[in-house]
Amino acid sequence: MPLLELQGVWYKYPGSLDYALRDVSLVVEEAKVYVVAGPNGAGKTTLLLVMAGLLEPEKGRVLFRGKPLKEQLPGARRHIGLLFQNPEHMLFNPVVYDEIAYVPRQLYTSEEYVRRAVEEAAEMVGLKHELLMRPTHMLSYGEKKLVALASILSYKPRLLLLDEPYTNLSRDYVEKINNIIRRHVEEGGSAVIVCHECLDSIRGLHVERLYMESGRIRPLSQ
Amino acid sequence: MTRHIRAFLSEVAYVIDFLSKYNPYSRVDPLVLFTGSLVFTVAASFARSLEALVIPLFYSLALLAAAKPGLSKIARVMAPILVLGLASSTPLLFTSTGNVESLASLQASPSGEGFKAFALLLARVVVSPLPLIASLMYAGWFTVSSRLKRLPLLGGVVRLVDLMAALTPRIARYLASVLLGRESRTVKPSLLQSWRGLASSIGETILYSGSYAEKVHLAITARSIGEMRVGQEIRFTWADIAYIATLATLLALEAMVLV
Ligand SMILES: Nc1ncnc2c1ncn2[C@@H]1O[C@H](COP(=O)(O)OP(=O)(O)OP(=O)(O)O)[C@@H](O)[C@H]1O
Ligand SMILES: [Mg+2]
């Protein structure tokens, strides 16, 4: 059974005339990586928000493990990690530690487990230890991106939804992210990566490629 | 001028962020701590004599000693309250009775009665928020709110305060950066220009904060599975019991002073 499935999804932002998603169908299997490319305004971010159950389609269905995602919220969020395109929109806690601990604090009853989860996630993205107590606004853009990524890795979701994960990161961090994705897949997880110019970045990853334009999605043959 | 406004905005953001952090190592149950502090804040704001302020002050100082935030942080949080207190109490200095009934009751030089009324009002304004502020410095708002959210009626309000605590510093910083962006492109500075700039920057920030709040709300929802579980088990430790016992004693003393 696929992990997540979209069936003929249509979505229109309130007050807008045009559909941002038009009849989008997509099957996300376990242990697979999908890369969705496409120009600005194609609907890639909207696609991820729908997959995370944050926007509700006007038509069509979103299934998580074969059942409507909507009926499994908020519990199913534990299995979905969404990295926002702009990390500044994701950081709402006073310091880095709290940001990464946000979900673990909902999962565990002991701060000791929370601390371990935070440190592990920080280590995975290569975040320096002295940054943990830093206010999130006192970080460079790239560091914010890493904190945002750590804040979803800290609870080990099955499905990673990454919106432009590579932009504004230097080459060694791009490699680091690819290693995280590789390990995630080895452990049976799936990922959907959205980006316009990432042919270079995803080299070395085994991926399924898709293309999106004007709200429509199609597979991209190599 | 915009430079001072920027400094003010980042100060506001700093103070709110500092007071809202999460302290997992609070030794006293945050809910118990917060309620106790609230009682002192209320008691202090009704104080009719300086003596009635001693115990709330003592309580706050004890909490601050435990929190050890550092003098500069205390000063930064208390400065605006002191200014507010001075602004509201200074007129009392220039009355003969300690009451401002009308503008006519003001006189040119300070009087003894006036000074007493001035000192009491100033002390009241400064001391009454202190127990709450001290408890937030000790535990942090998010620690307190993670417990408060589980209460049946308060839940919604607390969530709203949470969102405000998260958004306000970020929006203040955004406004500061918009002002900076404007300043960087200001070739010929003038007072009129900078007021105009401020007004339009505030307008732009209001528009921005709407869409920003929407996005942060999405981000919070995306990572909300259930309530905070850390610290959920009610565990009355020796620290709680000692705290409650001290609280009861101090409250009894305070009641004696007030009555
Ligand atoms: N909040 C919104 N309200 C109305 N329309 C929106 C909103 N957000 C996006 N849109 C519109 O929906 C369409 C798809 O936007 P989306 O953000 O999904 O594009 P994208 O592929 O992620 O683009 P980019 O590569 O620039 O991030 C665009 O035409 C955009 O103008
Ligand atoms: Mg996008």
Side-chain angles (χ1 to χ4, degrees), chain A residues 44-45 85 163:
Chain A
K44 306 182 295 297
T45 298
Q85 182 164 7
D163 201 344

Side-chain angles (χ1 to χ4, degrees), chain B residues 40 55 246-257:
Chain B
F40 277 120
I55 292 169
T246 320
L247 191 71
T249 321
L250 288 177
L251 279 177
L253 280 174
E254 176 73 8
M256 274 153 57
V257 181

Side-chain angles (χ1 to χ4, degrees), chain A residues 193-213:
Chain A
I193 305 171
V194 144
C195 49
H196 4 61
E197 300 279 335
C198 58
L199 271 186
D200 219 30
S201 304
I202 56 170
R203 195 173 296 156
L205 279 184
H206 190 74
V207 302
E208 199 107 344
R209 290 181 55 200
L210 301 144
Y211 188 76
M212 207 168 176
E213 198 169 21

Side-chain angles (χ1 to χ4, degrees), chain A residues 54 74 77-78 84 89-94 98-99 102-103 105-109 111 114-115 136-137 151, chain B residues 17 21-22 24 142 166 170 173 212 215-216 218-231:
Chain A
L54 291 168
R77 296 225 160 90
R78 193 210 174 304
F84 281 53
H89 291 156
M90 259 186 96
L91 309 178
F92 53 89
N93 289 285
D98 292 338
E99 197 64 60
Y102 190 74
V103 175
R105 277 187 183 136
Q106 299 168 54
L107 297 176
Y108 310 130
T109 49
E111 189 67 28
V114 172
R115 195 175 53 84
T136 47
H137 64 93
S151 77
Chain B
D17 259 350
K21 71 189 183 324
Y22 187 99
F142 285 140
R170 281 151 189 82
R173 284 195 191 95
Y212 175 68
K215 294 208 169 88
V216 171
L218 276 187
I220 296 178
T221 313
R223 283 192 280 147
S224 293
I225 299 154
E227 297 299 350
M228 291 290 175
R229 297 186 59 192
V230 166

